[in-house]
Amino acid sequence: MKSNPFRSFWLILVLVALCAAPPAEAQRRSSRAAEANVHAPTPAGERLAARDARQALEASSLVNNVAFRNIGPTVMSGRVVDLDVDPSDGTRFYVAYASGGLWRTDNNGASFEPLFDDQPTMTIGDIAVDWQRGVIWVGTGEKNASRSSYAGTGIYRSDDGGKTWTHRGLAETHRIGRIVLHPTDPNTLWVAASGHLYSPNAERGVYRSDDGGATWTRTLFIDDTTGAIDLAVDPGNPEVLYAAMWHRTRSAWDFVEGGATSGIYKSIDGGKTWTLASGAGSGFPGGEGIGRIGLAVYPDNPRIVYAVVDNQTRRPADEEAEAEAEAGLTRDALRDMSRDAFLELEADSVDAYLRDNGFPERYTGESVLEEVRDGVYLPRALVEYLEDANAQLFDTDVTGAEVYRSDDAGASWRRTHDAYIDDLFYTYGYYFGEIRVAPHDADRIYVLGVPLIASSDGGKTFEAIHGDNVHSDHQALWVSPTRPGHLLNGNDGGVNISFDDGKNWVNANTPAVGQFYAITVDDARPYNVYGGLQDNGVWVGPSTYEASLRWRMRGEYPYKSLLGGDGMQVQVDTRTNDIVYTGSQFGFYSRIERSTGKRARLRPTHVLGERPLRFNWQTPILLSRHNQDILYMGSNKLHRSLNQGDDWTTISGDLTLGGKPGDVPYGTLTTIDESPLQFGLLYTGSDDGLVYRSPDGGVTWTRISDGLPQGLWVSRVEASHHDKNRVYVSLNGYRYDDFTPYVYRSDDAGATWRRLGSALPAEAVNVVLEDAVNPDLLYVGTDHSLYVSLDGGATFMAMNRGIPHAPVHDLAVQEREQELVVGTHGRSLYVGSLAHIRQLREPLLEEEVHLFAVEGVTASDRWGQSFSMWSEPSEPEIRLGYYSREAGPATIRILGEADEELAVLRDEAEAGLNYPVYDASIAPETVERWAREAPSEGEERPTASDNGKTYLPAGTYTVEVARAGATARGSLKIAAPNARTSGR
């Protein structure tokens, strides 16, 4: 793209690092292919079987009755990948979220119902609905080829509105780009499968089924790195179809997002055979730079076909700009300039170069000339200082988004616009690639990118229509076939609805579908939860949040935004709960003082003579547990600040394997930890599989990962709370399409390792966390669930009641409240209690029945009453938590003085933790008996409330749980209400 002089320097750096502009060099492609299969992809059968294994770990779990509550947030939503709308009623539609499942609304988005939460995977690429017959099709695996775009397990079908689902094959495709249903034959459909993201595979291309998905025939295949990303059908003649094929390969260090095998294919026999419609002479571009393509057919005249293409071909050099650059000092000149020639330059000329290239102010023309004169570095250091892992790939702008139109059913194509379409795709067009044509106007088209743009003249000119109240990064768009101007827009911030063709939008974000990368908590009362989200910044909100729409009336949402961009890791100084350290992608972090809004930028830098530091997309930071003025940050090295990030010292050499050629920063640190037991006992993990340990604050480092599987992403390193020689590591093979659960423990400072959780399902592991109270208690978050071990990792069980099977990216414990916060990448935040789980140790586990301390309540004369005839009566909910060694019937009695029986509950106990709820009411039999008996002297008996129930008055009562001949007892305290004061 043309450079924008008003775009800030840091944003340019972020965009550069985000990008994946593929050069045509054969060497790069061959290197990428040779290194892609270090770890074999997990077979589809194992991934489908993971669901059964997960359900077995739920059924046998001792802790799965511990309920988690969702605490939002909802206001910023998450990435939408597709919308399917009832063509006869635009208020009824389905929304597919990238990793948040499938949702349905029948009231124009006022409320939604989830439909796909219990399937083998919740990540979705495309959906299709047969509205006439009520059949829903879901193609799993996100079509976007992004860092957190999860693989699917094929096609699913529901014939009952989403109540039940059947798997319909194509499990090895991983990612579904489009599902197209035959307009009249319910048994015929076509699927575009883009295939594995991180490994070559043959199960990609276009598939056709003639029996409702029972069997499939692959009818279009090119090679094992070129898949189908889009399909379009002539609605009047379904024998005519168009398919967009896309060559793309990705690894942890490189993304080739286009190739010569990308193109448009046409079928005139219902998708049975195909011919290339974008070949030489067609007018459509070709070559190594052709990336993702989106298609749209105009229904009233299906000879009109539109295509948007991500053209990664480099733009011709701007001769005038090149001449201007040559007038000053350039990188090319400095790269080969001798020391003597450099010393002949004027200081002003060097100053201009430093200023134009964003060097820190401490470098001046005079100081640089002096240091070159003294032999500190050579002139080429002024070039190398700026060249990170990507720089040479971005010296020339790419063509970017282009729109083409065919008026002869794909026989020929013409570009609709003369000028470049700037600031739409940038260099990451792989993330978009959608185009729509209005059903009522062949010249009204919409192109989805960072903004949403539209044209009324067939693509000659465009205008932005994203407007207020609309997030950027647009992924899905529905254009009403019956009401011009009625649009539904799905983007990285949720769903927006417009009735005036994009002039005004309303927001339909009620589901909690936030995609969290990282979370943490503070020590406030109530405590707050902080988290960074995909493309939705960093937010903070109360742990007591309950979702409702009341905030729209009050005018203040409980969650607050701290900053924008892609939100990353967060650390909070809990001494005041006011200072927050957080930031966005690739290490652009800040220190924020919440009370004043004051912020300072934090970023370690290299010095002239060194190569730039390499920062991971999710750069790790850590506040020392021993002194919260000390902050650690990881690039490819570890950096430490002793004064809250104002100044930095690099305390290590390169703790990675040194990076690899490619356009994605690689050879970076991904995780940092410091022992809670010893200041300066540090651990780091990297994206290329290395784990290092320093016992002395970074003075010396030892690589301790040689005994682990090599080359995998270190998703977490966790120093033990109980033994300074114990450390846990989780490894993630997602970037090899390897979904093996890798969790390891060392009890000898990393000298040897023992694998944990070998029976965990085939789900990549994102986080491992040791409990700070119970040394045998361990938590693991995977791409599909949360698991817990009561025996130090020897065995695991599920702990996910109330949590759908979304990716669990991070975990945090609030120690004062003994609560576990779960950060999911697709369903926002959940909170559950650890108070009872932490007690599940010997000898308690051998007890037949054990009653935990019952949390008391305060009596109220409003129990059993309602505020009006239109509301439900108020009742207490007292959880009677108990442990049962085995399953079976249990009897719970509430006893008064002299063990008088006041109430009895029957519970079908499960093995493990159980939580029946008691409403503090007295059994009717007891009340009736009291009515027959005279009260003793001075005795005051409670009277029935409005709902007919009689409730326990203030006092202390006994709770007794009996099962299999064993009993356990405890106390229930009902406190007296505070005395009311009268007012005038």
Side-chain angles (χ1 to χ4, degrees):
M1 263 66 29
K2 295 289 186 182
S3 61
N4 182 342
F6 301 104
R7 188 178 300 137
S8 63
F9 178 69
W10 72 266
L11 179 57
I12 292 174
L13 289 180
V14 171
L15 292 177
V16 165
L18 268 167
C19 303
E25 295 92 334
Q27 181 179 0
R28 179 180 169 210
R29 294 181 183 275
S30 62
S31 173
R32 165 68 182 87
E35 298 188 75
N37 290 316
V38 176
H39 294 269
T42 302
E46 290 184 25
R47 299 187 62 226
L48 285 169
R51 181 197 184 189
D52 296 333
R54 186 192 317 148
Q55 291 176 333
L57 292 177
E58 292 171 355
S60 63
S61 175
L62 300 180
V63 301
N64 216 36
N65 281 328
V66 175
F68 283 84
R69 68 182 190 276
N70 183 271
I71 62 166
T74 62
V75 67
M76 75 292 295
S77 193
R79 183 165 68 249
V80 173
V81 293
D82 198 21
L83 298 158
D84 205 299
V85 186
D86 185 342
S88 64
D89 181 358
T91 68
R92 301 176 61 222
F93 55 90
Y94 294 85
V95 182
Y97 292 89
S99 53
L102 176 68
W103 298 70
R104 178 180 61 208
T105 180
D106 293 320
N107 54 23
N108 206 37
S111 63
F112 288 86
E113 175 190 5
L115 302 176
F116 205 65
D117 286 5
D118 295 325
Q119 299 311 303
T121 178
M122 285 174 58
T123 184
I124 298 176
D126 194 59
I127 56 175
V129 180
D130 182 340
W131 288 94
Q132 182 178 351
R133 298 169 183 84
V135 177
I136 311 169
W137 295 87
V138 172
T140 61
E142 189 183 352
K143 67 185 103 177
N144 288 328
S146 192
R147 293 165 182 81
S148 55
S149 298
Y150 291 94
T153 50
I155 295 284
Y156 293 80
R157 171 175 170 159
S158 174
D159 295 299
D160 54 11
K163 295 182 178 67
T164 61
W165 297 89
T166 57
H167 186 249
R168 288 291 182 166
L170 303 184
E172 200 64 80
T173 59
H174 274 207
R175 286 170 167 80
I176 301 300
R178 188 75 69 202
I179 303 171
V180 171
L181 306 182
H182 194 286
T184 58
D185 180 0
N187 290 315
T188 298
L189 67 158
W190 302 268
V191 167
S194 57
H196 292 192
L197 179 57
Y198 285 97
S199 56
N201 75 307
E203 294 82 3
R204 61 180 76 205
V206 176
Y207 290 82
R208 172 180 167 132
S209 176
D210 295 309
D211 51 16
T215 61
W216 297 90
T217 301
R218 189 183 64 189
T219 62
L220 177 57
F221 173 75
I222 296 177
D223 59 37
D224 61 6
T225 58
T226 306
I229 188 61
D230 205 0
L231 282 171
V233 64
D234 178 344
N237 179 12
E239 294 295 295
V240 177
L241 294 103
Y242 302 88
M245 302 300 286
W246 182 23
H247 170 89
R248 54 107 173 99
T249 62
R250 184 156 197 164
S251 68
W253 57 89
D254 191 32
F255 187 9
V256 177
E257 61 177 289
T261 49
S262 299
I264 301 172
Y265 286 75
K266 181 180 178 180
S267 174
I268 57 173
D269 56 7
K272 295 174 184 175
T273 62
W274 298 84
T275 57
L276 181 64
S278 61
S282 68
F284 199 85
E288 296 289 344
I290 302 305
R292 181 171 170 174
I293 300 170
L295 300 169
V297 175
Y298 179 55
D300 281 357
N301 179 5
R303 292 182 63 79
I304 299 175
V305 184
Y306 284 97
V308 60
V309 58
D310 172 32
N311 191 339
Q312 292 288 303
T313 304
R314 302 307 177 92
R315 295 184 183 184
D318 187 323
E319 295 181 3
E320 182 178 350
E322 197 172 73
E324 291 177 358
E326 289 298 332
L329 196 57
T330 66
R331 296 190 198 184
D332 287 341
L334 284 167
R335 198 181 305 277
D336 299 315
M337 186 176 290
S338 69
R339 174 177 172 273
D340 291 340
F342 182 82
L343 293 176
E344 293 178 1
L345 296 174
E346 296 291 334
D348 288 347
S349 175
V350 179
D351 265 327
Y353 174 87
L354 299 173
R355 182 175 59 254
D356 292 344
N357 287 279
F359 278 70
E361 292 183 359
R362 68 177 181 270
Y363 296 113
T364 67
E366 291 288 353
S367 67
V368 169
L369 284 165
E370 182 178 349
E371 289 181 333
V372 170
R373 185 179 295 110
D374 293 342
V376 177
Y377 43 78
L378 294 173
R380 68 177 296 114
L382 293 171
V383 181
E384 294 172 348
Y385 183 88
L386 302 169
E387 289 183 336
D388 60 17
N390 303 330
Q392 294 187 34
L393 300 177
F394 295 92
D395 289 342
T396 306
D397 292 329
V398 299
T399 299
E402 292 185 302
V403 175
Y404 287 81
R405 172 170 167 160
S406 174
D407 291 289
D408 51 14
S412 63
W413 301 86
R414 61 176 176 83
R415 197 169 83 161
T416 65
H417 47 98
D418 295 327
Y420 292 114
I421 305 178
D422 285 329
D423 299 331
L424 179 68
F425 279 8
Y426 297 94
T427 50
Y428 41 101
Y430 64 86
Y431 199 59
F432 305 110
E434 303 279 347
I435 188 169
R436 302 287 184 269
V437 57
H440 57 280
D441 183 351
D443 289 329
R444 184 63 174 171
I445 62 173
Y446 307 85
V447 184
L448 286 65
V450 175
L452 173 62
I453 63 174
S455 173
S456 296
D457 53 16
K460 294 178 183 177
T461 61
F462 291 91
E463 62 176 343
I465 62 168
H466 49 279
D468 292 338
N469 203 35
V470 181
H471 195 280
S472 61
D473 290 7
H474 299 270
Q475 312 287 350
L477 185 71
W478 174 80
V479 185
S480 172
T482 59
R483 177 175 176 169
H486 184 190
L487 308 175
L488 264 70
N489 170 22
N491 49 62
D492 276 20
V495 178
N496 295 97
I497 304 171
S498 175
F499 292 97
D500 55 13
D501 215 14
K503 294 183 178 65
N504 298 279
W505 297 88
V506 295
N507 186 290
N509 288 350
T510 54
V513 287
Q515 295 177 294
F516 279 88
Y517 283 119
I519 61 171
T520 195
V521 297
D522 65 16
D523 277 344
R525 293 180 185 272
Y527 71 89
N528 296 297
V529 181
Y530 303 73
L533 297 107
Q534 189 274 329
D535 206 33
N536 278 279
V538 179
W539 291 72
V540 54
S543 58
T544 53
Y545 171 82
E546 295 180 7
S548 77
L549 298 179
R550 290 191 302 271
W551 68 274
R552 294 183 180 177
M553 297 174 61
R554 294 196 302 263
E556 185 174 9
Y557 192 68
Y559 278 81
K560 307 299 178 187
S561 174
L562 294 177
L563 52 77
D566 283 88
M568 295 298 157
Q569 295 194 8
V570 191
Q571 294 285 283
V572 182
D573 188 334
T574 56
R575 295 173 296 187
T576 63
N577 304 310
D578 188 40
I579 301 297
V580 179
Y581 302 87
T582 190
S584 58
Q585 57 267 49
F586 297 117
F588 289 94
Y589 279 68
S590 297
R591 182 182 67 242
I592 302 172
E593 190 175 295
R594 291 184 60 204
S595 59
T596 65
K598 181 181 178 181
R599 58 185 63 201
R601 221 177 129 190
L602 314 175
R603 187 174 172 88
T605 59
H606 58 301
V607 299
L608 263 173
E610 296 179 343
R611 287 281 184 177
L613 300 170
R614 299 187 298 274
F615 290 92
N616 192 267
W617 171 259
Q618 190 184 147
T619 295
I621 59 172
L622 178 72
L623 270 182
S624 174
R625 293 179 172 96
H626 305 280
N627 181 343
Q628 292 187 79
D629 286 334
I630 298 177
L631 177 67
Y632 300 97
M633 182 183 289
S635 57
N636 54 307
K637 304 174 182 180
L638 187 63
H639 313 276
R640 181 180 62 206
S641 173
L642 301 177
N643 55 4
Q644 301 181 308
D646 286 337
D647 301 291
W648 292 94
T649 301
T650 300
I651 60 171
S652 78
D654 195 331
L655 298 175
T656 76
L657 290 173
K660 291 184 178 181
D663 58 10
V664 179
Y666 185 70
T668 66
L669 296 186
T670 54
T671 176
I672 307 165
D673 204 14
E674 181 180 40
S675 170
L677 305 175
Q678 177 182 321
F679 173 70
L681 176 50
L682 300 170
Y683 294 91
T684 66
S686 68
D687 57 9
D688 52 12
L690 300 189
V691 180
Y692 274 88
R693 179 181 190 267
S694 174
D696 48 21
V699 177
T700 61
W701 290 90
T702 301
R703 193 167 84 183
I704 60 172
S705 52
D706 291 351
L708 297 170
Q710 298 298 291
L712 294 167
W713 191 284
V714 183
S715 57
R716 197 60 53 99
V717 57
E718 168 82 355
S720 173
H721 294 263
H722 306 281
D723 182 342
K724 69 178 184 179
N725 288 318
R726 181 177 303 159
V727 61
Y728 302 85
V729 165
S730 60
L731 307 172
N732 189 307
Y734 160 75
R735 288 162 182 81
Y736 293 101
D737 291 322
D738 175 7
F739 302 100
T740 306
Y742 296 105
V743 184
Y744 291 84
R745 166 177 163 172
S746 174
D747 290 306
D748 53 12
T752 60
W753 294 92
R754 174 165 59 96
R755 186 174 176 189
L756 308 178
S758 57
L760 285 170
E763 301 168 359
V765 177
N766 300 309
V767 55
V768 56
L769 182 69
E770 183 195 63
D771 192 78
V773 174
N774 182 343
D776 296 324
L777 187 55
L778 199 64
Y779 314 96
V780 165
T782 74
D783 278 351
H784 296 284
S785 197
L786 171 65
Y787 301 94
V788 61
S789 174
L790 303 178
D791 52 17
T795 61
F796 280 87
M797 58 191 73
M799 188 172 73
N800 55 18
R801 178 158 300 237
I803 305 178
H805 295 136
V808 175
H809 260 227
D810 203 7
L811 301 169
V813 175
Q814 217 293 331
E815 293 294 344
R816 184 190 66 237
E817 303 297 333
Q818 296 197 86
E819 288 188 334
L820 177 67
V821 184
V822 181
T824 73
H825 196 80
R827 294 298 279 271
S828 294
L829 301 170
Y830 292 81
V831 174
S833 174
L834 298 178
H836 298 160
I837 297 174
R838 284 176 157 176
Q839 299 178 51
L840 294 182
R841 305 171 65 181
E842 302 293 350
L844 187 152
L845 288 170
E846 293 303 315
E847 295 181 30
E848 195 65 43
V849 64
H850 177 91
L851 177 66
F852 296 100
V854 180
E855 185 175 348
V857 296
T858 299
S860 171
D861 57 10
R862 292 192 179 276
W863 287 351
Q865 298 181 9
S866 57
F867 287 98
S868 76
M869 63 180 292
W870 310 110
S871 59
E872 295 295 323
S874 170
E875 287 192 297
E877 293 185 354
I878 304 171
R879 289 197 320 157
L880 304 175
Y882 70 94
Y883 166 81
S884 178
R885 191 167 65 87
E886 296 179 354
T891 301
I892 304 169
R893 299 197 303 157
I894 310 300
L895 308 174
E897 293 183 3
D899 283 354
E900 178 187 18
E901 186 174 280
L902 302 178
V904 178
L905 288 76
R906 310 290 181 187
D907 190 41
E908 193 62 32
E910 298 179 21
L913 298 177
N914 297 270
Y915 294 97
V917 176
Y918 173 49
D919 64 2
S921 66
I922 301 172
E925 297 82 2
T926 301
V927 175
E928 292 172 5
R929 176 169 52 82
W930 284 351
R932 296 191 300 268
E933 300 173 354
S936 58
E937 185 177 352
E939 180 183 2
E940 293 186 13
R941 290 175 176 170
T943 58
S945 190
D946 291 354
N947 65 349
K949 291 184 180 181
T950 303
Y951 294 92
L952 294 176
T956 299
Y957 304 89
T958 298
V959 180
E960 179 186 86
V961 182
R963 201 201 67 76
T967 61
R969 284 191 163 204
S971 296
L972 166 61
K973 183 175 181 179
I974 299 181
N978 295 328
R980 295 180 179 175
T981 59
S982 61
R984 293 182 184 272

